[in-house]
């Protein structure tokens, strides 16, 4: 063993400070004129030796944890490092001998990330980004370990710190892979379950310890580190996935139960939820669940809408495999899974994405442009290819890795408009002088096109609250505004929600003056493909629960509630109902305690009132599923016809729904508190008898039991512009559905 030439002061300082872009050029084994130079960085080690075959040679200390030496060999051998640390106290004994650890040298490995990956990352077209970036357990050059990769183009250096090196990343500097901005290091011996962060040297030389943006698993909040993860889940939903690929969402039943998982049954984890949630949803007849964001978030009060771990299901309820188990169980019960997805913004936590590598990276460089004015968060820089790739890849990730059947995209309007919640002078117009965020438009189009191409049968749903043209139009179809469609499959109908809730909140005596609020939705019903949402946003923060919005005494409130649900399920569009509203919970929802399940306790005196509403929801869903007229032509004007849209004086609405073969369903809603006997209603010709298939006033639901028990005979009396008519009784504050007998 001969002494190696010492490192130059500059290289030494950069290496030790974590600001060297190529530590592999200094550490590891390298041919020199008279042999092989070995250099290792092991802070706190007492000695380091090289072992190769029958050779054992002790390296010489250079100070600051550096050890080096030149061994007269012709080629670099397959070697190990033998590292000895200071004496330790063991089992109360002092002076115990130091243990020698045999280690693979991380700096003898070639890059574990390929040129194609780097090219696609640079182009912003890596559709499986999670396979290239983050922490990936693997066998590399015959050795088991974990490849760590992170995108940090402005960093002066990056190191890996974790529980495997006592959170001191000095000995584990990463190398920069050219101009890609990606840093890489393969750490042999580090495997699944290891906890880590990236120690990033900022451009100013300061350090920041950051969670992995691509982490597939995280510590449970309030802890913030990332966890090395490998999935071991074996899916049992092959039949579901095969059927999904040929599924046509717009021509299929689509009835959604919205769930906040941490509070649906407080205290249950993913696997425990899998034992209860699928059975409950299946019993009520919903076709899908929509899960409020499950991606990791630091503050539970954000309900998941301020995400820090975009690729990790929240650890509050278990591991990523536990979440897969829940999705699998739902699929095997015949329930589709939608997940709320939040690409509009992210929080400012100093261990997450904000100024990730010391400068704005995921957010725009302009602080005024980056700051989200409503939520104190940061917006994404949709014009940066790598950021757009991070989000597009994330959308694909949830659909492919977790078999999610749809993404409900949150806060789309805040992405589309540069002046969203901003006053004049607080925003800069786009290149054409307009208020549209052209980068966000391009991102949404790319995301939707990519998801639909890669994941047949998946649906994307926009929570978009404005009249943006073409939210659910194909991306290649240019509309009057000059933009191609955004490419979503469905859009939340916020206008219908606002108008209809406003109508039913009025006392019946005043509803005649607001009749148009219930009919206006049909003016634009076919401009987009709609979901009718009664979501969590409508039952929190002083807005009151659905039943509590209704006027009158407790009986009238429940009657209004039932009539409204009957109207909603018959109206064109897909249905969405937030948990707790299916049994007329009176209190606002709170994430701290969830739904008031005690209302369904048989020992509670008013339990029948709440159970009755839940029974109605079950029957609404079952009748809906069995009636193609209610869903087969949701997006076609031919599937709907008004019968009585002008009955303001009576507070009555009547309309027909038609399936693909023309078979009708007649829906009548009486939003007045009086019984209307023999209320003449025009009907299509050629149908001699009509029978009542659903009545929200049925005594089983807590109603008064005013029904049409016998089939109704059509009379040749023209009415409502139709050649025939029937004379049903309309129960008070109720909706009835009639079909040909």
């Amino acid at each position: 063993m001969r002494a190696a030439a010492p490192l130059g002061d500059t290289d030494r300082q950069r290496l030790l400070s974590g600001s060297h872009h190529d530590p592999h050029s200094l550490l590891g084994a390298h041919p020199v004129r008279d042999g092989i130079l070995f250099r290792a960085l092991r802070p706190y080690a007492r000695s380091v030796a090289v072992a190769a075959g029958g050779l054992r040679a002790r390296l010489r200390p250079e100070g600051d944890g550096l050890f080096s030496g030149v061994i007269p060999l012709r080629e670099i051998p397959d070697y190990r490092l033998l590292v000895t640390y200071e004496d330790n106290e063991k089992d109360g004994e002092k002076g115990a001998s130091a243990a020698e650890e045999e280690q693979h040298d991380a700096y003898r490995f070639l890059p574990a990330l390929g040129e194609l990956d780097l090219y696609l990352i640079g182009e912003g077209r890596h559709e499986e980004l999670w396979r290239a970036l983050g922490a990936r357990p693997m066998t590399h050059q015959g050795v088991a370990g974990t490849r760590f990769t992170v995108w940090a183009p402005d960093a002066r250096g990056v190191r890996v710190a974790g529980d495997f090196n006592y959170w001191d990343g000095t000995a584990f500097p990463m190398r920069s892979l050219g101009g890609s901005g990606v840093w890489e290091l393969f750490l042999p011996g580090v495997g699944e379950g290891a906890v880590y962060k990236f120690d990033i040297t900022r451009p100013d030389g300061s350090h920041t310890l950051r969670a992995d943006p691509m982490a597939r698993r995280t510590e449970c909040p309030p802890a913030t580190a990332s966890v090395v993860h490998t999935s071991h889940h074996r899916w049992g939903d092959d039949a579901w996935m095969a059927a999904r690929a040929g599924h046509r969402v717009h021509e299929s039943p689509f009835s959604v139960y919205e769930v906040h998982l941490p509070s649906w049954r407080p205290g249950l984890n993913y696997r425990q939820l899998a034992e209860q949630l699928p059975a409950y949803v299946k019993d009520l007849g919903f076709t899908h669940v929509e899960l409020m964001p499950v991606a990791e978030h630091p503050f539970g009060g954000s309900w998941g809408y301020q995400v820090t771990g975009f690729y990790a299901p929240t650890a509050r309820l278990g591991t990523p495999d536990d979440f897969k188990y829940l999705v699998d169980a739902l699929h095997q019960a015949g329930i589709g899974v939608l997940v709320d997805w939040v690409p509009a913004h992210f929080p400012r936590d100093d261990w997450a994405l904000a100024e990730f590598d010391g400068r704005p990276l995921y957010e725009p460089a302009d602080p005024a442009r980056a700051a989200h004015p409503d939520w104190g968060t940061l917006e994404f820089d949709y014009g940066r290819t790598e950021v757009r790739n991070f989000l597009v890849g994330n959308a694909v990730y949830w659909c492919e890795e977790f078999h999610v059947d749809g993404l409900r995209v949150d806060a789309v309007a805040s992405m589309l408009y540069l002046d969203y919640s901003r006053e004049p002078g607080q925003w800069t117009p786009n290149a054409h002088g307009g208020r549209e965020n052209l980068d966000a438009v391009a991102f949404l189009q790319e995301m939707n096109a990519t998801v639909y191409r890669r994941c047949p049968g998946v649906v994307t749903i926009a929570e978009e609250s404005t009249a943006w043209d073409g939210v659910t139009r194909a991306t290649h179809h240019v509309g009057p505004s000059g933009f191609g469609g955004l490419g979503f499959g469905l859009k939340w109908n916020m206008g219908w929600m606002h108008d209809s809730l406003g109508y039913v909140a009025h006392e019946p005596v005043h509803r005649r003056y607001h009749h148009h609020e219930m009919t206006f939705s049909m003016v634009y019903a076919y401009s987009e493909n709609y979901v009718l949402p009664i979501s969590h946003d409508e039952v929190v923060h002083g807005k009151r629960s659905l039943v509590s919005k209704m006027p009158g005494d407790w009986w009238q409130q429940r009657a209004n509630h039932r009539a409204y649900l009957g109207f909603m399920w018959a109206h064109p569009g897909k249905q969405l109902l937030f948990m707790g509203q299916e049994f007329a919970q009176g209190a606002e929802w709170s994430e701290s305690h969830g739904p008031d399940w005690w209302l369904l306790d048989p020992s509670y005196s008013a339990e029948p009132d709440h159970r009755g509403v839940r029974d109605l929801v079950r029957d609404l869903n079952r009748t809906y599923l069995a009636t193609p007229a209610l869903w087969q032509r949701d997006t076609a004007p031919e599937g709907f016809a008004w019968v009585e849209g002008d009955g303001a004086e009576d507070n009555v609405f009547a309309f027909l729904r038609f399936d693909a073969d023309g078979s009708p369903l007649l829906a009548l809603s009486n939003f007045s508190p009086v019984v209307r006997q023999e209320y003449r209603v025009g009907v299509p010709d050629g149908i001699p008898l009509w029978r009542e298939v659903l009545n929200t006033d049925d005594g089983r639901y807590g109603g008064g039991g005013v029904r049409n028990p016998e089939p109704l005979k059509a009379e040749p009396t023209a009415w409502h512009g139709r050649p025939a008519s029937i004379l049903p009784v309309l129960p008070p504050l109720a909706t009835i559905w009639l079909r040909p007998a």
Side-chain angles (χ1 to χ4, degrees):
M1 173 70 71
R2 291 191 295 274
L7 284 178
D9 290 344
T10 300
D11 278 339
R12 185 185 185 93
Q13 189 276 330
R14 290 175 62 200
L15 184 63
L16 294 175
S17 66
S19 58
H20 203 290
H21 72 287
D22 189 15
H24 289 69
S25 67
L26 306 179
L27 302 175
H30 302 274
V32 294
R33 186 176 59 181
D34 47 359
I36 303 298
L37 166 64
F38 293 86
R39 178 174 281 112
L41 177 57
R42 288 294 184 274
Y44 317 115
R46 190 170 69 181
S47 66
V48 177
V50 173
L55 170 70
R56 178 188 174 101
R58 192 168 183 172
L59 301 180
R60 301 183 181 188
E62 293 184 10
D64 297 318
L66 286 164
F67 298 83
S68 66
V70 177
I71 302 177
L73 300 172
R74 293 184 178 179
E75 296 180 349
I76 298 174
D78 182 10
Y79 70 95
R80 307 288 190 276
L81 297 178
L82 304 176
V83 184
T84 304
Y85 291 94
E86 294 295 334
D87 292 349
N88 297 312
E89 296 182 13
K90 296 183 179 179
D91 299 325
E93 298 179 8
K94 296 195 175 185
S97 60
E100 184 177 76
E101 299 179 12
E102 181 177 318
Q103 305 173 354
H104 285 281
D105 185 0
Y107 296 90
R108 75 175 181 85
F109 293 91
L110 297 171
L113 191 65
E115 290 296 324
L116 178 59
D117 287 312
L118 293 174
Y119 173 79
L120 292 173
I121 291 170
E123 290 288 304
R125 299 289 181 182
H126 204 307
E127 295 177 0
E128 297 181 354
L129 190 64
W130 66 94
R131 303 189 189 279
L133 296 181
R136 186 175 182 82
M138 63 193 312
T139 297
H140 181 47
Q141 295 178 215
V143 177
T146 297
R147 181 196 68 197
F148 292 89
T149 47
V150 63
W151 179 60
D154 292 319
R156 289 176 57 182
V158 184
R159 302 184 289 198
V160 182
D163 58 358
F164 43 82
N165 60 11
Y166 302 98
W167 293 98
D168 183 350
T170 304
F172 296 97
M174 305 174 74
R175 64 179 146 207
S176 172
L177 298 180
S180 65
V182 175
W183 299 76
E184 182 266 354
L185 181 65
F186 175 75
L187 286 182
V190 174
E192 184 177 358
V195 182
Y196 70 99
K197 282 187 177 182
F198 293 115
D199 177 0
I200 297 175
T201 306
R202 299 183 178 105
D204 64 2
S206 63
H207 286 256
T208 179
L209 199 60
R210 297 289 175 139
D212 183 358
M214 301 292 301
R216 266 78 84 194
R217 182 181 172 189
T218 69
E219 288 188 300
C220 186
T224 59
S226 305
V227 181
V228 177
H229 173 68
T230 299
S231 178
H232 300 285
H233 180 74
R234 294 190 176 184
W235 290 95
D237 64 348
D238 292 350
W240 173 274
M241 295 297 286
R244 184 180 83 175
H247 190 58
R248 297 175 65 87
V249 171
H250 305 97
E251 300 174 1
S252 303
F254 196 89
S255 173
V256 184
Y257 183 60
E258 188 187 22
V259 179
H260 178 253
L261 280 178
S263 69
W264 184 73
R265 294 281 194 182
L268 298 189
N269 60 33
Y270 292 128
R271 290 183 181 266
Q272 292 165 335
L273 285 163
E275 301 303 316
Q276 297 189 31
L277 182 61
Y280 183 80
V281 175
K282 186 177 182 66
D283 174 66
L284 288 184
F286 288 97
T287 65
H288 290 73
V289 292
E290 180 179 312
L291 308 180
M292 291 167 66
V294 296
E296 193 59 271
H297 50 284
F299 176 50
S302 77
W303 310 331
Y305 290 100
Q306 295 195 10
V307 177
T308 49
F310 282 81
Y311 283 78
T314 179
R316 293 170 175 85
L317 305 180
T319 69
D321 276 5
D322 294 337
F323 179 63
K324 288 182 178 180
Y325 183 88
L326 172 59
V327 175
D328 207 345
L330 285 160
H331 282 173
Q332 292 183 51
I335 307 298
V337 180
L338 314 174
V339 169
D340 279 17
W341 186 55
V342 192
H345 63 125
F346 57 92
R348 296 174 179 265
D349 299 75
D350 60 7
W351 49 268
L353 294 183
E355 294 191 353
F356 181 75
D357 58 3
R359 291 175 180 163
L361 185 64
Y362 289 89
E363 68 270 38
D366 180 358
R369 180 70 194 87
H372 197 293
D374 288 345
W375 303 312
T377 53
L378 296 169
E379 298 183 12
F380 281 100
D381 184 355
Y382 305 107
R384 188 159 189 167
T385 57
E386 298 92 342
V387 174
R388 197 163 61 242
N389 195 172
F390 172 80
L391 293 170
V392 172
N394 188 239
V396 174
Y397 172 75
W398 287 102
C399 298
E400 292 190 356
E401 289 294 310
F402 291 98
H403 291 197
V404 164
D405 304 294
L407 299 171
R408 178 268 194 184
V409 183
D410 184 62
V412 171
S414 75
M415 302 164 64
L416 290 174
Y417 297 98
L418 295 168
D419 62 345
Y420 185 86
S421 288
R422 292 179 169 91
E423 299 297 327
Q426 296 180 340
W427 61 281
T428 302
N430 62 34
H432 306 293
R435 57 197 285 253
E436 301 86 2
N437 186 335
L438 304 181
D439 292 331
V441 171
F443 156 66
L444 291 170
Q445 291 173 327
E446 180 183 350
M447 181 276 297
N448 281 313
T450 304
V451 167
Y452 277 103
R453 172 170 50 82
R454 289 188 61 113
C455 310
V458 165
V459 63
T460 59
I461 307 169
E463 189 233 346
E464 203 283 317
S465 55
T466 73
W468 183 278
D469 174 53
V471 173
T472 58
R473 190 171 62 236
T475 57
H476 60 283
H477 288 168
V478 177
S481 63
F483 290 100
L486 295 183
F488 285 95
L490 297 167
K491 171 183 173 176
W492 273 23
N493 194 335
M494 309 295 280
W496 172 88
M497 176 274 297
H498 179 271
D499 289 348
S500 63
L501 289 180
Y503 173 85
V504 294
H506 290 292
E507 293 284 350
V509 69
H510 300 303
R511 285 174 177 167
R512 69 181 68 181
Y513 306 111
H514 302 274
H515 196 77
H516 68 283
E517 293 176 9
M518 290 289 265
T519 60
F520 182 65
S521 59
M522 292 311 303
V523 173
Y524 60 86
Y526 302 104
S527 61
E528 303 280 4
N529 305 325
Y530 283 115
V531 173
L532 311 179
I534 301 300
S535 74
H536 66 278
D537 271 335
E538 310 317 316
V539 295
V540 291
H541 300 328
K543 295 181 181 179
R544 298 176 294 173
S545 70
L546 182 57
V547 73
S548 296
K549 297 176 190 292
M550 307 299 175
D553 59 23
W554 175 231
W555 190 96
Q556 291 172 323
Q557 284 183 308
R558 287 183 293 118
N560 275 296
H561 182 105
R562 295 191 305 267
Y564 181 76
L565 292 179
F567 178 87
M568 172 182 173
W569 252 252
H571 191 285
K574 311 304 185 181
Q575 291 75 36
L576 180 142
L577 189 66
F578 183 59
M579 63 183 195
Q581 312 316 301
E582 78 274 17
F583 56 84
Q585 172 177 316
E588 287 186 338
W589 169 69
S590 168
E591 80 282 353
S592 63
H593 60 73
D596 290 336
W597 296 109
W598 59 270
L599 296 171
L600 296 171
D601 187 331
S603 64
Y604 175 53
S605 60
E607 181 267 346
D609 296 345
H610 299 278
R611 176 170 40 83
V613 175
R614 189 172 67 169
D615 289 345
L616 169 65
V617 171
R618 180 187 296 110
D619 287 351
L620 282 169
N621 276 323
R622 290 180 177 177
T623 308
Y624 169 79
L625 287 170
T627 310
L630 291 173
W631 43 262
Q632 202 169 55
R633 302 172 87 180
D634 260 336
T635 60
E638 298 80 11
F640 175 91
W642 279 115
V643 174
E644 174 59 278
D646 297 320
E649 293 301 314
D650 297 330
N651 296 351
V652 169
F653 304 88
F655 55 84
L656 289 160
R657 299 294 307 278
F658 300 95
D659 66 16
D661 296 326
S663 180
L665 177 136
L666 175 62
L668 300 107
S669 294
N670 175 19
F671 283 101
S672 65
V674 298
V675 179
R676 301 201 180 277
Q677 300 285 351
E678 297 189 340
Y679 193 89
R680 188 173 293 278
V681 179
V683 293
D685 199 11
I687 302 174
L689 295 174
W690 294 78
R691 64 183 175 88
E692 187 177 274
V693 295
L694 187 133
N695 185 328
T696 67
D697 192 54
D698 194 305
R700 293 179 299 124
Y701 310 139
V706 178
R707 300 186 59 219
N708 295 276
E710 301 298 327
L712 298 167
K713 184 177 180 180
E715 300 177 357
T717 302
W719 207 258
H720 291 137
R722 298 184 180 276
S725 57
I726 57 176
L727 293 169
V729 57
L730 302 187
L733 300 175
T735 293
I736 63 173
W737 294 354
L738 304 173
R739 291 189 64 186

